[in-house]
């Protein structure tokens, strides 16, 4: 039983180290399998007609050009979904943003898809005929708009499930009353919600902070807890606890530092007592040194 739990933890931690890479691999696997199934279905349908001049490579090109175009656009989609996440406020603004997003997605998707098909058909000595632009674009937009909505809902659902499995951090103390911590007052604990359980982590046990999109990852005892906040606001609250910024996307707890080294460029490295090494940017070096000095 213990071995199974260790393997599960190991796989999850491996995914957690490179979530973007593994997410794209899973998406690519899904889209390529789906494209293969669709291409074979189209080929089988046309094969029933003895007069059909369709060649085997054509449905493969149709389906895989669409799949590859969609995969290429996912970074833009995810950026847009992060910029305009689903929420109960500003509904009109969200509707307009996602309507515009679906139109842009469809225009880019169709453009890439047609360009790929034109190249392959030219290479095969033929010519790909997209058809009347407005009619065909409306036909494609219906599918792309539905796909955009599915991607948006799926993305939000995966983020929610992932945060619950991983254990998302929330502020305590006055946070429940006001929604945010008062400036200058550091929370003693953070509440972590993980599946159907809740537990506390001490602020003093947090070793370093890492900006990650709309979240700040709290690193504590080898585990990572995402907190929905900015690194600047989090540091404003935790500076009195001995946290300082050392990089554009990193901050460290002074009390867990083992040693500091510098190189000729002015940058440096900070070695933590846990063995973790963090980059020290020369941009933040002077302010960091000043924060380490006793009052």
């Amino acid at each position: 039983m213990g071995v199974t739990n260790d393997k599960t933890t190991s796989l999850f931690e491996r995914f957690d180290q490179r979530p973007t890479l593994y997410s794209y691999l899973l998406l690519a696997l899904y889209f390529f399998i789906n494209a293969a199934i669709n291409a074979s279905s189209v080929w089988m349908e046309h094969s029933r007609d003895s007069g059909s001049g369709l060649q085997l490579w054509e449905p493969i090109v149709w389906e895989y050009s669409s799949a590859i175009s969609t995969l290429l656009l996912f970074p833009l989609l995810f950026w847009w979904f992060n910029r305009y996440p689903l929420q109960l406020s500003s509904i009109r603004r969200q509707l307009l943003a996602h309507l515009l997003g679906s139109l842009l997605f469809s225009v880019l998707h169709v453009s890439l898809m047609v360009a790929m098909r034109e190249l392959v058909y030219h290479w095969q000595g033929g010519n790909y005929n997209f058809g009347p632009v407005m009619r065909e674009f409306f036909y494609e937009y219906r599918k792309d708009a539905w796909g955009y909505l599915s991607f948006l809902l799926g993305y939000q659902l995966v983020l929610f499930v992932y945060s619950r499995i991983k254990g998302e951090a929330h502020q305590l103390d006055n946070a429940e009353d006001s929604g945010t911590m008062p400036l200058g007052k550091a929370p003693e604990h953070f509440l972590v919600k993980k599946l159907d359980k809740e537990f506390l982590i001490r602020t003093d046990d947090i070793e370093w902070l890492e900006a990650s999109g709309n979240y700040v990852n709290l690193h504590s005892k080898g585990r990572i807890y995402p907190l929905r906040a900015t690194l600047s606001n989090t540091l404003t609250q935790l500076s009195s606890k001995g946290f300082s910024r050392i990089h554009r996307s990193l901050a460290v707890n002074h009390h867990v530092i083992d040693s500091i080294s510098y190189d000729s460029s002015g940058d440096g490295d900070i070695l933590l007592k846990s063995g973790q090494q963090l980059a020290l940017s020369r941009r933040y070096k002077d302010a960091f040194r000043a924060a380490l000095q006793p009052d």
Side-chain angles (χ1 to χ4, degrees):
M1 192 72 174
V3 175
T4 302
N5 290 338
D6 290 342
K7 288 183 178 179
T8 303
T9 301
S10 177
L11 288 173
F12 184 80
E13 289 178 349
R14 188 178 304 174
F15 178 86
D16 197 43
Q17 291 173 356
R18 296 182 178 180
T20 302
L21 173 62
Y22 288 116
S23 296
Y24 275 105
L25 289 176
L26 290 173
L27 283 170
L29 180 63
Y30 168 77
F31 275 97
F32 286 167
I33 292 176
N34 187 64
I37 294 173
N38 290 340
S40 63
S41 298
V42 172
W43 171 250
M44 292 173 67
E45 287 291 331
H46 281 267
S47 295
R48 294 172 180 172
D49 181 6
S50 58
S52 174
L54 186 72
Q55 299 185 57
L56 177 59
W57 61 267
E58 291 184 273
I60 295 176
V61 171
W62 299 343
E63 296 300 331
Y64 276 92
S65 61
S66 178
I68 293 172
S69 300
T70 303
L71 286 170
L72 290 174
L73 292 173
F74 265 123
L76 182 61
L77 280 177
F78 292 161
W79 174 80
W80 193 256
F81 294 162
N82 280 327
R83 185 175 178 85
Y84 298 100
L86 295 178
Q87 50 191 0
L88 296 178
S89 60
S90 304
I91 295 178
R92 182 179 178 182
R93 179 170 175 263
Q94 290 181 75
L95 287 174
L96 290 174
H98 290 302
L99 176 60
L100 176 61
S102 67
L103 284 169
L104 289 174
F105 168 68
S106 186
V107 169
L108 293 174
H109 176 244
V110 171
S111 299
L112 288 170
M113 180 178 68
V114 171
M116 290 181 189
R117 294 177 182 179
E118 290 281 6
L119 285 173
V120 176
Y121 270 77
H122 178 74
W123 176 54
Q124 291 292 325
N127 180 50
Y128 176 71
N129 182 20
F130 181 64
V133 175
M134 294 305 298
R135 186 194 71 189
E136 295 302 319
F137 176 74
F138 177 72
Y139 171 78
E140 294 293 339
Y141 177 69
R142 294 180 310 151
K143 298 187 293 181
D144 287 343
W146 180 249
Y148 179 94
L149 179 61
S150 301
F151 299 150
L152 174 61
L153 295 176
Y155 183 73
Q156 297 292 321
L157 178 61
V158 168
L159 283 183
F160 173 77
V161 173
Y162 181 62
S163 67
R164 297 300 288 184
I165 294 175
K166 186 176 180 180
E168 185 172 347
H170 300 266
Q171 293 178 344
L172 276 176
D173 300 333
N174 293 337
E176 294 180 351
D177 298 329
S178 62
T180 57
M181 284 295 301
L183 294 179
K185 182 178 179 181
E188 295 295 329
H189 298 85
F190 284 87
L191 175 68
V192 173
K193 297 181 179 180
K194 189 171 184 178
L195 297 179
D196 58 346
K197 297 181 180 179
E198 296 182 350
F199 58 95
L200 300 176
I201 58 170
R202 296 174 65 245
T203 302
D204 293 338
D205 290 336
I206 299 172
E207 299 166 348
W208 55 291
L209 311 174
E210 176 189 25
S212 178
N214 295 328
Y215 287 84
V216 175
N217 288 330
L218 312 179
H219 292 258
S220 175
K221 298 180 178 180
R223 296 186 178 275
I224 304 173
Y225 305 102
L227 171 71
R228 192 170 185 83
T230 64
L231 183 59
S232 297
N233 288 343
T234 305
L235 276 174
T236 299
Q237 298 167 3
L238 299 184
S239 58
S240 62
K241 283 283 190 179
F243 285 81
S244 293
R245 195 168 198 152
I246 58 172
H247 188 274
R248 182 174 58 87
S249 59
L250 300 174
V252 69
N253 184 345
H254 302 168
H255 304 100
V256 302
I257 295 175
D258 182 71
S259 62
I260 306 172
S261 59
Y262 302 95
D263 55 38
S264 57
S265 68
D267 294 326
D269 293 299
I270 298 175
L271 180 65
L272 307 186
K273 295 175 182 177
S274 63
Q276 175 71 42
Q277 184 169 293
L278 304 177
L280 172 61
S281 171
R282 58 181 177 273
R283 176 183 175 185
Y284 299 98
K285 182 173 66 177
D286 293 339
F288 173 64
R289 282 176 166 176
L292 290 177
Q293 300 299 320
D295 296 333

